[in-house]
Amino acid sequence: MAKKILISVVIVDFFKAARVVNNVEKILTQQGDFETEVIIIDNSIDSGNQQILSQYQDTDNVTLIFNQQNNGYTRGSNQGADLCSGDYLLFVNPDIEWKSASILADIVTIYKRDPEIGIVGTRQLNDDGSTPDTVRRFPNLIAQVVRRTSLRNWPLLKGIADYYEYVEFDYFKPANVDWLQSSFMAISRDVWNKIGGFDSRYFIFMADPDICYKCWELGYKVHYESEIVVGADGLRCSDGGFKDVFSNRVLRFHIRDAFIYHFQYLLKPSIPTARKSQSQSSSNVNYEQ
């Protein structure tokens, strides 16, 4: 009898225990010819948050870790991945809401359909009904500065920011993309091992464009699938412009991580666009039920 596929889901929590509970319950009821394991890494260092999550202390297929210090999202994700043994790893933000019981099966179908796919992300739907911008072109230092200042209103510079933010991207069509947010990101074990996980120099941000670049560099695709939909609360911890740097600690981490990224990729070549041909095309996916 063939061994069942194992999907490992990693959730790094920071004061969103109630959303994590709903998240995990839906993961454990996913249907398909696979097994699941869930690893929860709690960075909150808060007794109230821990009390809510403690209900999973003795739950089969759920591993619960309470960190004694906030190691950041990236290190927390790697910490969770080190405890995984799945054929596929899925990094899921604590606020994610599962809209269907076949999401994991649908993701497995994508990998079976195209073995050249290394990373998969899906469409998200915020609590208020809006679709968040989870897909970007690879970061550009000028664009990242411009988009957070009044300079983005200048016609020429606005175009630079819009290009990076991929404002013309159609979230209702499947696509191979430069990179997508790790708020709901699946990656095959083979690709994860070859890359060596997220770069732990990043505290919260920029580890996702970094790992997607490395995925493309290895010869695998980064795929966005519009037909699979998950929910999210729509709250962005890094909202704000440069004037908010002194009042928003998370924004300071974003700027720090961005400088690390741009220093690392200053002389790196862009991924050939031919590799991403037919990036926005109609889907012919026959999902497993």
Side-chain angles (χ1 to χ4, degrees):
M1 182 176 178
K3 178 185 173 183
K4 278 192 175 183
I5 290 172
L6 177 62
I7 303 174
S8 302
V9 183
V10 177
I11 303 172
V12 178
D13 182 39
F14 189 69
F15 291 99
K16 290 190 176 183
R19 296 282 298 216
V20 173
V21 169
N22 182 61
N23 199 332
V24 174
E25 293 305 310
K26 293 297 180 65
I27 293 170
L28 297 178
T29 58
Q30 287 288 298
Q31 300 174 4
D33 190 23
F34 54 80
E35 296 178 346
T36 57
E37 63 176 357
V38 181
I39 292 84
I40 304 170
I41 306 294
D42 181 36
N43 278 338
S44 306
I45 322 171
D46 178 81
S47 59
N49 207 77
Q50 290 182 9
Q51 184 176 9
I52 296 172
L53 294 177
S54 290
Q55 62 187 281
Y56 294 114
Q57 199 75 59
D58 300 313
T59 303
D60 291 341
N61 302 327
V62 177
T63 301
L64 181 58
I65 304 294
F66 294 121
N67 283 337
Q68 299 306 305
Q69 63 179 9
N70 182 0
N71 296 319
Y73 170 79
T74 305
R75 289 184 179 179
S77 295
N78 285 340
Q79 180 184 3
D82 287 343
L83 300 172
C84 293
S85 52
D87 302 285
Y88 301 100
L89 283 70
L90 181 61
F91 297 93
V92 176
N93 272 9
D95 61 290
I96 290 297
E97 179 184 352
W98 297 70
K99 299 288 189 181
S100 131
S102 66
I103 289 175
L104 290 181
D106 293 343
I107 291 173
V108 171
T109 298
I110 289 174
Y111 281 109
K112 288 182 176 179
R113 182 192 71 199
D114 188 350
E116 292 185 356
I117 289 177
I119 291 175
V120 173
T122 71
R123 182 157 60 93
Q124 295 184 25
L125 189 65
N126 289 333
D127 288 349
D128 64 4
S130 62
T131 299
D133 300 330
T134 57
V135 172
R136 293 278 191 272
R137 291 188 172 96
F138 283 120
N140 174 288
L141 179 58
I142 296 175
Q144 287 198 300
V145 171
V146 166
R147 67 191 289 262
R148 291 188 179 273
T149 68
S150 60
L151 292 174
R152 78 164 297 146
N153 296 321
W154 295 17
L156 178 60
L157 295 179
K158 182 179 186 300
I160 293 175
D162 287 351
Y163 180 81
Y164 162 65
E165 292 176 350
Y166 211 165
V167 296
E168 77 276 18
F169 184 76
D170 187 345
Y171 282 90
F172 293 88
K173 291 183 179 180
N176 296 327
V177 299
D178 279 11
W179 71 277
L180 39 79
Q181 289 181 6
S182 59
S183 51
F184 193 86
M185 173 188 283
I187 182 167
S188 68
R189 167 63 67 179
D190 185 49
V191 173
W192 177 263
N193 287 344
K194 286 179 180 178
I195 292 174
F198 289 118
D199 189 329
S200 61
R201 289 177 295 177
Y202 303 110
F203 189 76
I204 306 177
F205 306 98
M206 310 305 290
D208 28 20
D210 174 74
I211 201 168
C212 288
Y213 183 97
K214 291 170 180 174
C215 178
W216 279 110
E217 198 173 35
L218 285 170
Y220 294 91
K221 302 172 186 175
V222 177
H223 182 74
Y224 165 83
E225 184 51 60
S226 58
E227 298 301 314
I228 304 174
V229 184
V230 298
D233 63 15
L235 302 178
R236 295 186 60 186
C237 59
S238 64
D239 274 344
F242 282 108
K243 61 182 175 59
D244 301 304
V245 166
F246 296 104
S247 60
N248 188 335
R249 182 169 178 260
V250 176
L251 184 56
R252 294 197 294 274
F253 275 122
H254 200 167
I255 293 171
R256 168 196 175 275
D257 290 347
F259 272 111
I260 294 173
Y261 179 90
H262 290 294
F263 182 79
Q264 179 182 359
Y265 282 89
L266 185 62
L267 300 178
K268 285 261 193 178
S270 60
I271 297 296
T273 55
R275 293 270 306 284
K276 299 191 288 292
S277 62
Q278 299 180 346
S279 64
Q280 195 87 69
S281 58
S282 59
S283 176
N284 295 309
V285 183
N286 292 315
Y287 291 127
E288 294 177 348
Q289 300 299 318

